[in-house]
């Protein structure tokens, strides 16, 4: 049973860098799309971006200038960095496994989520 | 971005009721549509992908239909464990986008 264990700082000041890491435990690291999402009561679920085990990343254009997703295959981990955070980045951030079956894609394993609050 | 609009935003229903939730895409997405269930304080769980394919282990009372821009999620006989929020998500093109959610509450 694959599990995603995530961690990182939960309280940031404006202009700081958000940094989260997710470890993949109990399953293959290759062949999937390792994804970061965030969720707020107001904006709902927002896809931040994804990365493959080979390091090919795709980002949401709305966040692209501030976001970096990286992968460490030696540890079966992937990470998220968001620079210059503002209050608008306050959300629950989750790491997720994306699966492609033929032409179809869905997300099937989720981390527990990290509440990130940006406040001065 | 492809906008996903769900309706209703919430509904009240009784155990045993048939429930239908609608999701509309702002452009045609073929059948690249997923449905998720989320309970309070928990991560979402995939229910249906490719518009109508029940994910492994999903209860057969859940079904999905639709193609193009209009999709539905149906719960044939609502069970106590089905009270939750349901989201649709398009996987036609990145950035993947979600509907705002439909909260199913006990009547």
């Amino acid at each position: 049973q694959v599990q995603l264990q995530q961690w990182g700082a939960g309280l940031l000041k404006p202009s700081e860098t958000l940094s989260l890491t997710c470890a993949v435990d109990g399953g293959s690291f290759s062949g999937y799309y390792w994804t970061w999402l965030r969720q707020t009561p107001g904006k709902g679920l927002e896809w931040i971006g994804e990365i493959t085990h080979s390091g090919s990343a795709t980002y949401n254009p709305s966040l692209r200038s501030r976001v970096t997703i990286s992968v460490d295959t030696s540890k079966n981990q992937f990470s998220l960095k968001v620079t210059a955070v503002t209050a608008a980045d306050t959300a629950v951030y989750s790491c997720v496994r994306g699966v492609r079956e033929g032409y179809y894609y869905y997300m099937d394993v989720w981390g527990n989520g990290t509440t990130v609050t940006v406040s001065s | 971005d492809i906008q996903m609009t769900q309706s209703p935003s919430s509904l009240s229903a009784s155990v045993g009721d048939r429930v239908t939730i609608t999701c509309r895409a702002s452009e045609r997405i073929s059948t690249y549509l997923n449905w998720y269930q989320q309970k309070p304080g928990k991560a979402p769980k995939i229910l249906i992908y490719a518009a109508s394919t029940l994910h492994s282990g999903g209860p057969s009372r859940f079904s999905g239909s639709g193609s193009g821009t209009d999709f539905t999620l149906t719960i044939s006989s609502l069970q106590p464990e089905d009270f939750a929020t349901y989201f649709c998500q398009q996987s036609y093109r990145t950035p993947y986008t979600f509907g705002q959610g439909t909260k199913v509450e006990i009547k």
Side-chain angles (χ1 to χ4, degrees), chain B residues 2 4 29 32-34 88-93 95-97:
Chain B
I2 299 173
M4 307 301 294
I29 59 170
Y32 294 93
L33 190 283
N34 306 322
C88 61
Q89 175 240 327
Q90 64 81 17
S91 61
Y92 182 75
R93 185 173 70 228
Y96 301 129
T97 48

Side-chain angles (χ1 to χ4, degrees), chain A residues 3-7 20-25 27-30 34-36 51-55 69-80 95:
Chain A
Q3 290 188 320
L4 303 183
Q5 305 285 348
Q6 61 179 97
W7 64 90
L20 298 173
T21 298
C22 184
V24 179
D25 185 30
S28 173
F29 196 64
S30 63
W34 302 105
T35 302
W36 288 98
I51 194 165
T52 65
H53 76 284
S54 61
I69 298 175
S70 58
V71 65
D72 184 340
T73 55
S74 68
K75 297 179 180 179
N76 281 9
Q77 294 176 359
F78 62 108
S79 299
L80 170 71
C95 58

Side-chain angles (χ1 to χ4, degrees), chain B residues 53-94:
Chain B
T53 302
L54 189 66
H55 188 253
S56 173
S60 58
R61 62 183 179 274
F62 289 93
S63 64
S65 65
S67 179
T69 60
D70 294 315
F71 302 87
T72 59
L73 172 69
T74 299
I75 309 172
S76 60
S77 177
L78 196 66
Q79 297 302 299
E81 60 268 32
D82 301 336
F83 292 96
T85 299
Y86 295 85
F87 295 94
C88 61
Q89 175 240 327
Q90 64 81 17
S91 61
Y92 182 75
R93 185 173 70 228
T94 61

Side-chain angles (χ1 to χ4, degrees), chain A residues 45-76:
Chain A
L45 284 158
E46 183 177 25
W47 181 83
I48 299 170
E50 66 185 17
I51 194 165
T52 65
H53 76 284
S54 61
S56 175
T58 305
Y59 299 110
N60 190 323
S62 69
L63 296 166
R64 190 181 188 2
S65 63
R66 298 192 295 125
V67 168
T68 302
I69 298 175
S70 58
V71 65
D72 184 340
T73 55
S74 68
K75 297 179 180 179
N76 281 9

